[in-house]
């Protein structure tokens, strides 16, 4: 660290360090938000499905759909289990459909939304 001899240079250094601290704090907050987003159960499932697809090499939509359906079926079995109740079976089927739909949706929704809003802004000009 360099030696500071004047009050002006000391004040400049303080302002510089405060600005640097603020930038780093914002970066830490952004990183924490990203970690929280990645730890949501739905995103954990999506990331796992994507890793399975990359590892095994599933490139087709049919294979990815089959995996999504399988995860939906597992969710139904974990939550509902084996039952004779009609209401529970209907609820389980709705749950299976919801999980399958959520898992099969593309994860890059935020980027698509930002791109479309940027397109809208440029088209208005």
């Amino acid at each position: 660290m360099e030696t500071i001899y004047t009050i002006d240079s000391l004040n400049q250094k303080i302002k510089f360090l405060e600005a640097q601290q603020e930038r780093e704090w914002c970066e830490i907050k952004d990183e924490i938000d990203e970690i929280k987003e990645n730890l949501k159960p739905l995103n954990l499932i999506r990331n796992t499905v994507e890793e399975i697809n990359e590892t095994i090499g599933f490139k087709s939509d049919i294979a990815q759909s089959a995996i999504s359906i399988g995860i939906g079926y597992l969710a139904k079995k974990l939550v509902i289990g084996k039952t004779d109740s009609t209401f529970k079976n209907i609820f389980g089927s709705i749950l299976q459909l919801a999980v399958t739909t959520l898992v099969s949706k593309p994860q890059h929704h935020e980027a698509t939304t930002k791109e479309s809003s940027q397109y809208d802004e440029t088209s208005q000009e």
Side-chain angles (χ1 to χ4, degrees):
M1 183 168 236
E2 62 188 60
T3 305
I4 300 174
Y5 295 105
T6 66
I7 301 252
D8 289 336
S9 60
L10 177 62
N11 287 334
Q12 287 177 348
K13 187 68 171 178
I14 288 171
K15 287 180 183 179
F16 171 77
L17 290 174
E18 285 175 344
Q20 180 181 3
Q21 181 182 24
E22 182 65 28
R23 280 192 313 271
E24 290 174 353
W25 183 243
C26 288
E27 289 173 3
I28 289 171
K29 286 180 183 178
D30 291 342
E31 188 68 29
I32 289 172
D33 289 342
E34 185 177 329
I35 289 170
K36 285 181 359 185
E37 185 68 26
N38 287 333
L39 289 178
K40 288 182 179 179
L42 180 60
N43 289 334
L44 285 174
I45 292 171
R46 282 185 182 158
N47 292 339
T48 303
V49 169
E50 287 177 9
E51 287 179 19
I52 290 171
N53 288 341
E54 289 174 9
T55 303
I56 298 175
F58 286 142
K59 298 292 182 189
S60 71
D61 291 334
I62 295 172
Q64 291 176 355
S65 297
I67 291 173
S68 298
I69 291 169
I71 290 174
Y73 179 76
L74 286 175
K76 176 183 175 182
K77 287 300 177 184
L78 287 174
V79 173
I80 302 300
K82 191 172 188 178
T83 183
D84 291 330
S85 170
T86 305
F87 177 74
K88 285 185 179 180
N89 282 331
I90 292 171
F91 176 72
S93 297
I94 292 170
L95 174 71
Q96 179 178 354
L97 178 63
V99 170
T100 301
T101 303
L102 289 173
V103 171
S104 65
K105 282 185 182 176
Q107 185 175 1
H108 307 291
H109 179 353
E110 293 176 13
T112 306
T113 305
K114 288 179 184 176
E115 288 173 5
S116 64
S117 66
Q118 288 175 352
Y119 176 75
D120 291 341
E121 291 173 4
T122 56
S123 65
Q124 291 176 356
E125 293 175 356

